[in-house]
Amino acid sequence: GQQLNQSPQSMFIQEGEDVSMNCTSSSIFNTWLWYKQDPGEGPVLLIALYKAGELTSNGRLTAQFGITRKDSFLNISASIPSDVGIYFCAGRSQGGSEKLVFGKGTKLTVNP
Amino acid sequence: GAVVSQHPSWVICKSGTSVKIECRSLDFQATTMFWYRQFPKQSLMLMATSNEGSKATYEQGVEKDKFLINHASLTLSTLTVTSAHPEDSSFYICSARPPTGRTEQYFGPGTRLTVT
């Protein structure tokens, strides 16, 4: 089935550093969502984007809906140890059903 | 708001038995719920879309007679894994979509199924 290209696959950073990850699609999306998943837990919604060009923040997190509607990025500023986890992008394609397509995830490790 | 619960959080069963997993939306009504399966270190794989009062829509390759879904009310969907086998062992996660007209899904905490 359709998949999103999410990169990087993993990141190892020092506490206090900024982080950036992105997702791209071959088709146009009308919704981009970013989730964080801790081990053994379900994903938690971080940010939802619904308009091309939209830039939305949630605390230290900022995400943008790309102008081309085929990409989105998530930035985390001043990372802290509790940012550790797997971040997934998800999107809904234009004209598609209400199903979400998920990226493969970015595993973030923060060294204190 | 938008809290989704799952029960049980983990279950161990013997091969050949059936297991039921419940998914509840606690503070909103959900006409649509989704069931996912996740293997270790992999992304979420949609198994089926559960619609209140109607039959579930299964994704290609998912056996509907093996994974029975019942969405009997606006706050409860159940997934029953019938005649479970060790290869059914996995992390099962449900999600629910609030009736806001938007697309975001809120996920439950997941159920770890181990079939021995």
Side-chain angles (χ1 to χ4, degrees):
Chain A
Q2 186 179 23
Q3 274 202 324
L4 301 177
N5 295 313
Q6 184 172 351
S7 65
Q9 188 175 6
S10 62
M11 301 183 75
F12 297 83
I13 63 171
Q14 292 297 125
E15 183 176 359
E17 290 183 355
D18 297 342
V19 171
S20 184
M21 59 192 79
N22 69 83
C23 272
T24 59
S25 169
S26 58
S27 58
I28 290 175
F29 275 49
N30 60 19
T31 302
W32 285 98
L33 306 170
W34 285 94
Y35 290 89
K36 180 186 180 222
Q37 186 177 28
D38 291 329
E41 299 288 333
V44 174
L45 181 63
L46 300 174
I47 293 178
L49 303 161
Y50 293 97
K51 291 173 56 177
E54 181 179 356
L55 182 71
T56 298
S57 293
N58 178 7
R60 294 177 295 106
L61 278 63
T62 301
Q64 184 161 30
F65 193 139
I67 293 292
T68 65
R69 306 183 73 175
K70 292 183 178 182
D71 64 320
S72 176
F73 72 75
L74 174 71
N75 287 343
I76 305 173
S77 63
S79 60
I80 59 178
S82 62
D83 291 333
V84 165
I86 300 178
Y87 292 80
F88 289 100
C89 62
R92 177 184 174 186
S93 59
Q94 186 179 39
S97 70
E98 58 188 305
K99 296 186 295 186
L100 294 178
V101 178
F102 281 83
K104 292 188 176 183
T106 295
K107 183 177 180 180
L108 178 63
T109 301
V110 180
N111 297 314
Chain B
V3 179
V4 178
S5 70
Q6 270 183 254
H7 178 80
S9 56
W10 61 270
V11 57
I12 301 173
C13 71
K14 291 187 176 181
S15 217
T17 61
S18 295
V19 174
K20 180 185 285 188
I21 302 170
E22 293 185 349
C23 177
R24 293 181 184 274
S25 55
L26 298 185
D27 52 0
F28 65 97
Q29 293 183 330
T31 54
T32 306
M33 292 184 173
F34 304 85
W35 286 96
Y36 294 83
R37 184 173 182 177
Q38 187 177 34
F39 291 105
K41 299 184 180 181
Q42 293 192 22
S43 188
L44 287 79
M45 182 189 79
L46 179 64
M47 298 174 66
T49 302
S50 171
N51 300 295
E52 187 270 335
S54 64
K55 292 182 179 180
T57 304
Y58 290 81
E59 294 301 297
Q60 191 173 8
V62 178
E63 298 176 61
K64 62 180 180 181
D65 293 331
K66 180 169 185 60
F67 298 100
L68 301 179
I69 292 172
N70 184 12
H71 195 151
S73 77
L74 288 172
T75 59
L76 173 64
S77 176
T78 60
L79 168 68
T80 301
V81 182
T82 63
S83 187
H85 290 283
E87 56 265 32
D88 298 325
S89 299
S90 190
F91 193 52
Y92 292 88
I93 316 174
C94 71
S95 71
R97 188 174 67 86
T100 59
R102 296 206 150 184
T103 306
E104 64 262 27
Q105 294 177 21
Y106 294 89
F107 286 84
T111 297
R112 171 73 58 191
L113 170 63
T114 302
V115 184
T116 61

